[in-house]
Amino acid sequence: MSIIDNINKLFDHRIRLGIMSILMVNEKVNFKRLKELLEVTDGNLASHIKALEKAEYIIVEKSFIDRKPNTQYMATKLGRAEFKKHIEALENIIKKQMN
Amino acid sequence: MQKDYFKDISEIKDLMNRSSRFISLSGLSGILAGCYALIGAAVAYLYFLPPAINIDYSSTKEIKVNYIILDLILVATFSIVTAIILTMKKAKSNQEKIWDATTQRLLLNFMVPLAAGGVYILIQAYQNHFGLSAALMLIFYGLALVNASKFTIGNVQFLGYAEIILGLICAAFPGYGLYFWALGFGVLHIVYGTLMYRAEKKQ
């Protein structure tokens, strides 16, 4: 088994990796804030969120603030574990490249 | 294996920092806060407090509590207004947003220990217990800084630890509260602010 096996395909994309990075250090983040940080369009962000949601790496929490919908996202236990594995794989690759 | 994984790592780091940390505290506001505190302490020393040796903590007659509280409020207000103005200026020149979720969390984490301590000290003061006010202010302020430091870049936690230690020493020397207060809120702020200011200049 090569080290590349631990590279998570789902994280092999700038925006999905970005969403996960933000959710690793923030308990809950709403859509607007994610958009602001990642500098992407609504549709683009929504589709990547869907993909992470489908894999159960993140969960969505919908609520209302002043009758306006407020959607927040959180990383799941599985998502956190997978992200850590992915980072370790990245580290290993970089170490290999250095040698 | 063609992909540049270094770029991935640096992007992760950047996003984690930008999304969770507030980076616009200005060193100059620390220096100025220290100066206000020293002026406030001098005013209290000259007008509102009897000499340290004569303080009898069981009597209130000589201590003008309301004036001291007003003095403290003025020092705090000037410091906060200065910090807000300078931070906004710095954020503008760095093109950062100042009022976002990170700032809100920073303030919340800072205010909880500070407000709890402040209210406690006021309750005590109105019951004529002032003996440990200076020590308590230093300790609670230090705890607030340590608590908030998780959301800032820089070394605010060290200022926090220094304030806590100073507060504890202060508690062991009753009667010298004002001096410790001036040292903690005045001198430490100026020292810390200067260090930050120099670090900012280097960047």
Side-chain angles (χ1 to χ4, degrees):
Chain A
M1 192 168 101
S2 82
I3 43 167
I4 200 103
D5 288 345
N6 274 333
I7 286 287
N8 194 323
K9 276 267 149 53
L10 213 52
F11 294 141
D12 219 1
H13 185 282
R14 202 201 122 230
I15 296 170
R16 290 195 293 270
L17 189 70
I19 296 169
M20 225 36 221
S21 307
I22 295 166
L23 292 179
M24 285 299 281
V25 289
N26 292 277
E27 206 186 332
K28 287 178 184 176
V29 178
N30 66 25
F31 192 86
K32 203 177 139 235
R33 176 97 175 123
L34 281 178
K35 211 181 110 183
E36 210 173 87
L37 285 163
L38 294 164
E39 290 160 358
V40 285
T41 60
D42 281 19
N44 204 350
L45 180 58
S47 73
H48 290 299
I49 285 173
K50 267 265 150 60
L52 288 171
E53 211 188 323
K54 216 173 142 202
E56 292 179 351
Y57 287 1
I58 65 174
I59 46 169
V60 184
E61 191 188 84
K62 285 186 175 147
S63 62
F64 288 86
I65 297 176
D66 293 332
R67 288 189 197 156
K68 277 184 213 141
N70 182 44
T71 312
Q72 294 200 297
Y73 302 93
M74 277 176 280
T76 61
K77 235 182 193 168
L78 175 70
R80 285 176 182 276
E82 289 297 326
F83 186 81
K84 274 188 194 137
K85 252 196 252 167
H86 182 75
I87 298 285
E88 273 159 27
L90 289 186
E91 275 175 355
N92 282 330
I93 290 169
I94 288 168
K95 263 183 219 152
K96 274 260 163 86
Q97 282 175 349
M98 301 253 242
N99 289 335
Chain B
M1 286 288 269
Q2 317 293 14
K3 218 182 146 197
D4 184 4
Y5 290 107
F6 269 117
K7 220 183 114 207
D8 273 16
I9 296 271
S10 69
E11 210 156 321
I12 292 169
K13 234 173 96 183
D14 175 58
L15 273 171
M16 284 183 168
N17 277 333
R18 266 197 300 139
S19 70
S20 68
R21 288 175 168 230
F22 182 73
I23 45 180
S24 284
L25 288 172
S26 150
L28 197 58
S29 55
I31 299 175
L32 287 170
C35 295
Y36 302 146
L38 287 181
I39 295 168
V43 171
Y45 178 76
L46 292 173
Y47 300 108
F48 309 138
L49 284 174
I53 327 137
N54 297 331
I55 291 185
D56 173 6
Y57 286 116
S58 57
S59 95
T60 55
K61 290 216 174 78
E62 296 178 81
I63 304 176
K64 297 167 181 162
V65 185
N66 287 330
Y67 286 107
I68 293 172
I69 290 170
L70 182 70
D71 189 14
L72 285 171
I73 289 171
L74 281 176
V75 169
T77 310
F78 275 115
S79 303
I80 292 165
V81 170
T82 306
I84 291 173
I85 293 172
L86 290 177
T87 303
M88 272 166 68
K89 248 173 105 179
K90 196 179 155 192
K92 216 173 187 181
S93 72
N94 289 354
Q95 295 185 319
E96 293 165 6
K97 283 195 181 129
I98 181 168
W99 191 247
D100 58 17
T102 314
T103 322
Q104 287 160 26
R105 247 181 335 181
L106 172 85
L107 285 178
L108 183 73
N109 277 273
F110 182 63
M111 285 314 293
V112 169
L114 203 66
V119 172
Y120 177 78
I121 291 165
L122 279 179
I123 292 170
Q124 291 282 23
Y126 281 111
Q127 290 173 350
N128 301 333
H129 299 298
F130 322 95
L132 287 172
S133 291
L136 289 171
M137 275 184 243
L138 289 166
I139 292 169
F140 279 110
Y141 178 62
L143 289 172
L145 287 177
V146 172
N147 206 32
S149 70
K150 287 169 274 178
F151 303 102
T152 63
I153 285 177
N155 301 308
V156 188
Q157 69 268 35
F158 295 118
L159 179 63
Y161 294 134
E163 302 279 4
I164 294 169
I165 292 165
L166 199 65
L168 293 173
I169 298 171
C170 173
F173 293 95
Y176 295 93
L178 183 69
Y179 302 104
F180 282 101
W181 192 92
L183 197 62
F185 286 96
V187 178
L188 280 187
H189 271 146
I190 293 172
V191 170
Y192 179 76
T194 310
L195 291 176
M196 284 238 304
Y197 188 71
R198 277 170 54 186
E200 284 163 23
K201 277 273 138 84
K202 259 186 208 160
Q203 280 171 5

